[in-house]
mmCIF file of all heavy atoms in Angstrom:
data_model
loop_
_atom_site.group_PDB
_atom_site.id
_atom_site.type_symbol
_atom_site.label_atom_id
_atom_site.label_comp_id
_atom_site.label_asym_id
_atom_site.label_seq_id
_atom_site.Cartn_x
_atom_site.Cartn_y
_atom_site.Cartn_z
ATOM 1 N N THR A 5 -15.105 16.064 -8.141
ATOM 2 C CA THR A 5 -14.244 16.046 -6.957
ATOM 3 C C THR A 5 -13.888 14.632 -6.513
ATOM 4 O O THR A 5 -12.963 14.440 -5.722
ATOM 5 C CB THR A 5 -14.933 16.777 -5.798
ATOM 6 O OG1 THR A 5 -16.224 16.193 -5.566
ATOM 7 C CG2 THR A 5 -15.112 18.256 -6.134
ATOM 8 N N SER A 6 -14.632 13.644 -6.979
ATOM 9 C CA SER A 6 -14.346 12.238 -6.659
ATOM 10 C C SER A 6 -14.781 11.377 -7.840
ATOM 11 O O SER A 6 -15.877 11.588 -8.380
ATOM 12 C CB SER A 6 -15.104 11.814 -5.401
ATOM 13 O OG SER A 6 -14.903 10.440 -5.114
ATOM 14 N N PRO A 7 -13.917 10.458 -8.265
ATOM 15 C CA PRO A 7 -12.613 10.084 -7.707
ATOM 16 C C PRO A 7 -11.520 11.080 -8.069
ATOM 17 O O PRO A 7 -11.740 11.990 -8.862
ATOM 18 C CB PRO A 7 -12.353 8.719 -8.358
ATOM 19 C CG PRO A 7 -13.038 8.816 -9.681
ATOM 20 C CD PRO A 7 -14.281 9.632 -9.438
ATOM 21 N N VAL A 8 -10.328 10.865 -7.484
ATOM 22 C CA VAL A 8 -9.172 11.695 -7.809
ATOM 23 C C VAL A 8 -8.263 10.901 -8.753
ATOM 24 O O VAL A 8 -8.325 9.674 -8.805
ATOM 25 C CB VAL A 8 -8.400 12.097 -6.543
ATOM 26 C CG1 VAL A 8 -9.267 12.961 -5.646
ATOM 27 C CG2 VAL A 8 -7.889 10.872 -5.785
ATOM 28 N N PRO A 9 -7.414 11.591 -9.521
ATOM 29 C CA PRO A 9 -6.547 10.882 -10.466
ATOM 30 C C PRO A 9 -5.641 9.851 -9.783
ATOM 31 O O PRO A 9 -5.127 10.074 -8.695
ATOM 32 C CB PRO A 9 -5.719 12.011 -11.091
ATOM 33 C CG PRO A 9 -6.574 13.225 -10.961
ATOM 34 C CD PRO A 9 -7.299 13.057 -9.659
ATOM 35 N N TYR A 10 -5.493 8.725 -10.443
ATOM 36 C CA TYR A 10 -4.629 7.607 -10.049
ATOM 37 C C TYR A 10 -5.143 6.833 -8.834
ATOM 38 O O TYR A 10 -4.452 5.950 -8.322
ATOM 39 C CB TYR A 10 -3.181 8.062 -9.825
ATOM 40 C CG TYR A 10 -2.497 8.462 -11.104
ATOM 41 C CD1 TYR A 10 -2.379 9.797 -11.461
ATOM 42 C CD2 TYR A 10 -2.003 7.499 -11.983
ATOM 43 C CE1 TYR A 10 -1.778 10.174 -12.651
ATOM 44 C CE2 TYR A 10 -1.393 7.857 -13.170
ATOM 45 C CZ TYR A 10 -1.291 9.197 -13.508
ATOM 46 O OH TYR A 10 -0.697 9.553 -14.689
ATOM 47 N N ALA A 11 -6.342 7.128 -8.360
ATOM 48 C CA ALA A 11 -6.883 6.372 -7.232
ATOM 49 C C ALA A 11 -7.170 4.931 -7.650
ATOM 50 O O ALA A 11 -7.606 4.664 -8.765
ATOM 51 C CB ALA A 11 -8.160 7.020 -6.723
ATOM 52 N N VAL A 12 -6.904 4.002 -6.739
ATOM 53 C CA VAL A 12 -7.246 2.596 -6.927
ATOM 54 C C VAL A 12 -8.168 2.178 -5.793
ATOM 55 O O VAL A 12 -7.912 2.491 -4.620
ATOM 56 C CB VAL A 12 -5.997 1.690 -6.961
ATOM 57 C CG1 VAL A 12 -6.400 0.225 -7.113
ATOM 58 C CG2 VAL A 12 -5.064 2.103 -8.090
ATOM 59 N N TYR A 13 -9.236 1.485 -6.138
ATOM 60 C CA TYR A 13 -10.215 0.999 -5.170
ATOM 61 C C TYR A 13 -10.133 -0.522 -5.107
ATOM 62 O O TYR A 13 -10.024 -1.184 -6.139
ATOM 63 C CB TYR A 13 -11.626 1.433 -5.575
ATOM 64 C CG TYR A 13 -11.795 2.933 -5.625
ATOM 65 C CD1 TYR A 13 -11.479 3.640 -6.783
ATOM 66 C CD2 TYR A 13 -12.245 3.634 -4.518
ATOM 67 C CE1 TYR A 13 -11.612 5.027 -6.833
ATOM 68 C CE2 TYR A 13 -12.390 5.017 -4.561
ATOM 69 C CZ TYR A 13 -12.071 5.704 -5.721
ATOM 70 O OH TYR A 13 -12.206 7.071 -5.770
ATOM 71 N N GLN A 14 -10.214 -1.049 -3.896
ATOM 72 C CA GLN A 14 -10.090 -2.486 -3.712
ATOM 73 C C GLN A 14 -11.268 -3.233 -4.322
ATOM 74 O O GLN A 14 -12.428 -2.962 -3.991
ATOM 75 C CB GLN A 14 -9.985 -2.834 -2.224
ATOM 76 C CG GLN A 14 -9.912 -4.325 -1.928
ATOM 77 C CD GLN A 14 -8.672 -4.978 -2.526
ATOM 78 O OE1 GLN A 14 -7.568 -4.461 -2.400
ATOM 79 N NE2 GLN A 14 -8.853 -6.123 -3.175
ATOM 80 N N ARG A 15 -10.969 -4.174 -5.202
ATOM 81 C CA ARG A 15 -12.042 -4.986 -5.784
ATOM 82 C C ARG A 15 -12.569 -5.971 -4.735
ATOM 83 O O ARG A 15 -11.826 -6.422 -3.857
ATOM 84 C CB ARG A 15 -11.530 -5.747 -7.009
ATOM 85 C CG ARG A 15 -10.402 -6.718 -6.724
ATOM 86 C CD ARG A 15 -9.995 -7.476 -7.956
ATOM 87 N NE ARG A 15 -8.834 -8.330 -7.677
ATOM 88 C CZ ARG A 15 -8.398 -9.267 -8.496
ATOM 89 N NH1 ARG A 15 -9.006 -9.471 -9.642
ATOM 90 N NH2 ARG A 15 -7.349 -9.992 -8.173
ATOM 91 N N ARG A 16 -13.831 -6.299 -4.849
ATOM 92 C CA ARG A 16 -14.446 -7.320 -4.005
ATOM 93 C C ARG A 16 -14.980 -8.417 -4.910
ATOM 94 O O ARG A 16 -15.336 -8.176 -6.059
ATOM 95 C CB ARG A 16 -15.595 -6.736 -3.192
ATOM 96 C CG ARG A 16 -15.210 -5.529 -2.340
ATOM 97 C CD ARG A 16 -16.333 -5.177 -1.410
ATOM 98 N NE ARG A 16 -16.177 -3.870 -0.806
ATOM 99 C CZ ARG A 16 -16.918 -3.417 0.179
ATOM 100 N NH1 ARG A 16 -17.897 -4.177 0.680
ATOM 101 N NH2 ARG A 16 -16.737 -2.227 0.694
ATOM 102 N N LEU A 17 -15.059 -9.608 -4.363
ATOM 103 C CA LEU A 17 -15.616 -10.720 -5.115
ATOM 104 C C LEU A 17 -17.131 -10.618 -5.062
ATOM 105 O O LEU A 17 -17.745 -10.778 -4.010
ATOM 106 C CB LEU A 17 -15.132 -12.049 -4.545
ATOM 107 C CG LEU A 17 -13.613 -12.275 -4.677
ATOM 108 C CD1 LEU A 17 -13.214 -13.540 -3.949
ATOM 109 C CD2 LEU A 17 -13.201 -12.327 -6.125
#
Side-chain angles (χ1 to χ4, degrees):
T5 55
S6 177
V8 296
Y10 291 100
V12 178
Y13 299 87
Q14 178 63 47
R15 61 177 176 168
R16 305 190 194 190
L17 295 174

